[in-house]
Amino acid sequence: MPLKPCFIYSIGASSLLMLIIGIALVLSNVFPNLMQSLVKTEVVLRNGTDAFEAWLDPPAPVYMQFYFFNLTNPEEVLKGERPAVMEIGPYTYREHRPMEEVVFQSNGTRVAAVNPKTYFFERNMSRGPESDLIRTVNIPAMTVMERFKDNKVAANLISAYMLSQEIGLFTTHTVAELLWGYEDGLLKALKVVDPNLDDNFGLFYKNNGSDDGEYLFFTGQQNYKDFARVDTWNGKSSLDWWTSDECNMINGTNGASFHPIISKNEVLYMFSSDLCRSLYAVYTDDMIVKGIPGYRFAPPFEVFANLTVNPANTGFCVPAGNCLGSGLLNVSMCKQGAPIIMSSPHFYQADEKFVKDVFGMRPKKEEHQTAIDINPLTGIILRAAKRLQINVYVEKIPDFRQTENVPTVILPVVYLNESVLIDDASAKKLQVIAVQKNVVENIPFMLIGVGIILGGIFMFLMCRQKLPESSAAERQPLLSS
């Protein structure tokens, strides 16, 4: 039975309409923009949002691993030979880092908070106990010698005292002492002269259970790109340690959160109080973490390059004009005068000279690069690893016999790996969001697909409608004969 023409033409019209609507939606990006608008309204530091709860008390476990460099040839180093070190670790700590003293300001556009960090030793994730002994450079002694090297009288008096107490350039302490602090004999003696001097020393002395200062963050209420961006730190909108305004800028977030809707060509800025500076990361790869799509961002070589490669880094040469080379950062001015030099582990991305100066350095991108994997829609961190190495600037100081003929060298002490992996509960939520995103963004293509199918049906029906007419025409001559 022939189908009614109006029915056939309605199918054709529907096909055309579906194709037009689908193509229009694809070109206008209506559904992706709708999805992004919904995310922008939810990813705000405001009571009641998931973003605020995750910022307030991150659900994903954070671990801090320490790898020490045990000096194996101290006597030879004092005679001028190349230092040889052996990496020992990891010594792993679970990190608890909630936001506290949270106060909203400026009609909810900013929020003040402190971020105390408490560390709990994880023996089953560590090489050994905290009582393991490590031989390394005597940082308090090196600091004192550097401070008084231009005062000949004081230098000779301090050197004589150090000799009488058998205080040398190198020392041996437990992991716990090196990290969290111990009473130092030289500092205790100098405290008699300077009562304000703290006679305890540790690489992270007073950092366990304390915060690094008060932050004022943007909430992202006015602009989604300002989500968790640092406005001021300790009441200041810029630093004063470096020799240029650009280097003293406080840029980006604190590295624990990022704004939503991230593109591959974006530059992500972060402020690190550990490094006493801001830095940035750029896109490097697409990643999949627990079934969730992500972009990997990492600091490029230029971030720590010397001024010949990146003139913008001139301000990080302190004192002015004193540049150490690519891959190193002198942070002595923000570490109470201690001759501390920061770098990536094993001098990754640093000048080859620093790798060759110390036997035992084996830089590897996979193990020593700092990287962050971020879900581009929500800005949630899927996986991250912040890797830094603490070194000491060691040199021969004529008035201190303790340095003997030691070579000038950047001597590694320890490197840290602060890592996080999204927890399963948060991962499941993101997986649902990823599915919803794919469904919503594919609605236009579904309409186009339905339009193509209807178009095929329309063509089939049109051909079938003409078929009986042509058959009747063929039979007519036979009947007349």
Side-chain angles (χ1 to χ4, degrees), residues 213-439:
E214 184 182 57
Y215 288 85
L216 182 62
F217 299 95
F218 286 97
T219 62
Q221 179 175 295
Q222 293 178 311
N223 186 338
Y224 77 96
K225 287 198 171 184
D226 283 338
F227 174 78
R229 182 168 69 84
V230 179
D231 184 21
T232 64
W233 179 59
N234 286 330
K236 296 181 179 179
S237 58
S238 63
L239 308 172
D240 54 15
W241 293 313
W242 310 108
T243 58
S244 73
D245 291 339
E246 183 178 357
C247 292
N248 276 319
M249 292 176 68
I250 296 177
N251 293 326
T253 71
N254 67 345
S257 305
F258 293 94
H259 69 77
I261 324 300
I262 293 173
S263 65
K264 293 182 179 180
N265 59 1
E266 268 193 77
V267 177
L268 299 182
Y269 288 91
M270 293 158 278
F271 169 67
S272 170
S273 62
D274 295 330
L275 289 173
C276 312
R277 60 164 288 185
S278 297
L279 62 157
Y280 61 89
V282 296
Y283 167 84
T284 61
D285 295 291
D286 278 6
M287 305 298 293
I288 298 292
V289 181
K290 292 189 177 182
I292 306 163
Y295 293 163
R296 171 159 291 183
F297 282 78
F301 167 77
E302 291 78 12
V303 170
F304 296 104
N306 63 36
L307 60 89
T308 59
V309 177
N310 185 2
N313 283 344
T314 302
F316 293 119
C317 298
V318 288
N322 182 27
C323 303
L324 296 173
S326 289
L328 303 183
L329 181 68
N330 181 355
V331 294
S332 57
M333 81 299 300
C334 62
K335 302 295 180 184
Q336 299 179 323
I340 300 295
I341 309 296
M342 303 297 289
S343 71
S344 292
H346 287 254
F347 298 115
Y348 170 70
Q349 288 189 330
D351 290 341
E352 187 66 20
K353 171 188 182 306
F354 304 115
V355 177
K356 292 181 177 179
D357 280 351
V358 181
F359 181 79
M361 295 292 98
R362 299 178 182 85
K364 296 178 182 178
K365 178 182 178 180
E366 299 76 18
E367 298 178 12
H368 304 139
Q369 179 192 46
T370 290
I372 310 167
D373 297 339
I374 306 173
N375 177 248
L377 177 64
T378 62
I380 292 174
I381 294 176
L382 306 176
R383 177 173 54 201
K386 182 176 79 174
R387 293 159 174 153
L388 297 173
Q389 182 168 294
I390 300 173
N391 314 277
V392 174
Y393 185 84
V394 176
E395 64 176 345
K396 179 181 178 180
I397 303 176
D399 292 321
F400 286 95
R401 281 171 284 177
Q402 289 76 13
T403 60
E404 296 189 22
N405 292 309
V406 68
T408 299
V409 64
I410 307 298
L411 189 64
V413 177
V414 63
Y415 88 76
L416 59 90
N417 176 26
E418 188 176 27
S419 61
V420 63
L421 176 66
I422 187 170
D423 60 292
D424 290 340
S426 299
K428 287 179 181 178
K429 289 181 181 179
L430 270 184
Q431 288 166 359
V432 172
I433 292 173
V435 170
Q436 292 173 342
K437 174 180 179 290
N438 288 334
V439 171

Side-chain angles (χ1 to χ4, degrees), residues 136-201:
T136 187
V137 62
N138 190 335
I139 299 178
M142 198 70 229
T143 303
V144 170
M145 288 188 284
E146 283 288 342
R147 182 173 295 181
F148 291 99
K149 66 180 181 181
D150 296 325
N151 187 331
K152 193 173 185 66
V153 175
N156 285 322
L157 287 173
I158 294 171
S159 179
Y161 176 81
M162 291 173 67
L163 286 171
S164 69
Q165 299 297 313
E166 298 183 345
I167 299 173
L169 184 61
F170 304 110
T171 186
T172 301
H173 286 282
T174 67
V175 167
E177 289 172 337
L178 287 172
L179 289 176
W180 313 119
Y182 60 92
E183 186 179 72
D184 182 76
L186 179 58
L187 296 179
K188 187 176 181 180
L190 291 173
K191 191 172 184 177
V192 176
V193 181
D194 183 3
N196 294 321
L197 186 69
D198 195 332
D199 55 3
N200 288 281
F201 170 80

